[in-house]
Amino acid sequence: MRRSRLLTYLTLLTVALVTASCNRNVIYHHYEPTAIEGWDRTDTLTFSVATAKERAVVQRDVELRITDGYPYRQLSLIVEQATLPTGLHRTDTVNCQLVNAEGKIHGQGLTLYQYRFHLPDICLNEGDSLCFRIHHNMRREEMPGVSDVGLRLTMY
């Protein structure tokens, strides 16, 4: 009986620690949906990040959810970032490789594939807030098969 209680306690403690450590440093994580029949080039997605509570180095990741109806091997994104109150602007181009030359999908999933692409890290000062704007930079005006675009910020 005593051994069973100890085992239950240790299991619950392990689950709690693993759960807490998985998301402990994520300071922002949000997806915006796109029109699945075609994400228009002029449809810019906006992400507003609340004021930083402390100075930190932040890892930035763009996340995608793509259906099996996406017709290309890659997707080019423009990620614009404004830092307030300093007014600093930064623009990154992300070339998302979705399928390799042999046709193998890099993402995770069965009919909806999930991807994560790393952007250069940034330094935030206490009191900074961020605004991100993301749009695609493909020749085709509408990109079918893009379900959602997300932004994930992790503090180290």
Side-chain angles (χ1 to χ4, degrees):
M1 181 74 166
R2 191 174 194 173
R3 185 174 181 188
S4 175
R5 253 193 224 167
L6 180 61
L7 184 59
T8 302
Y9 174 74
L10 288 175
T11 302
L12 290 174
L13 181 62
T14 302
V15 168
L17 289 174
V18 168
T19 303
S21 67
C22 289
N23 292 317
R24 181 178 56 180
N25 295 329
V26 175
I27 58 174
Y28 183 83
H29 192 208
H30 180 73
Y31 280 90
E32 284 292 327
T34 62
I36 200 152
E37 59 277 355
W39 178 26
D40 193 271
R41 182 191 310 240
T42 61
D43 184 14
T44 301
L45 305 173
T46 304
F47 301 84
S48 296
V49 181
T51 305
K53 295 179 181 174
E54 60 185 278
R55 184 181 175 107
V57 175
V58 175
Q59 176 180 316
R60 303 176 306 148
D61 295 300
V62 173
E63 298 182 334
L64 296 172
R65 292 181 184 139
I66 307 287
T67 69
D68 54 4
Y70 184 75
Y72 301 106
R73 292 184 178 181
Q74 63 183 13
L75 176 63
S76 180
L77 300 174
I78 302 294
V79 180
E80 300 172 44
Q81 172 192 312
T83 304
L84 303 171
T86 61
L88 293 174
H89 290 275
R90 177 188 180 110
T91 301
D92 294 289
T93 301
V94 185
N95 293 311
C96 307
Q97 190 68 39
L98 307 173
V99 179
N100 68 16
E102 292 79 38
K104 184 174 190 291
I105 295 170
H106 291 298
Q108 298 176 347
L110 298 175
T111 58
L112 186 65
Y113 303 99
Q114 184 143 341
Y115 299 85
R116 181 179 295 165
F117 300 95
H118 184 64
L119 296 167
D121 296 346
I122 59 168
C123 292
L124 282 183
N125 293 313
E126 182 180 347
D128 283 352
S129 60
L130 302 170
C131 181
F132 289 86
R133 295 170 42 95
I134 301 175
H135 64 275
H136 77 78
N137 190 34
M138 302 291 283
R139 288 184 182 171
R140 186 172 176 172
E141 286 295 319
E142 288 190 351
M143 297 306 299
V146 179
S147 172
D148 303 279
V149 178
L151 180 68
R152 180 185 183 102
L153 303 177
T154 308
M155 181 174 66
Y156 342 5

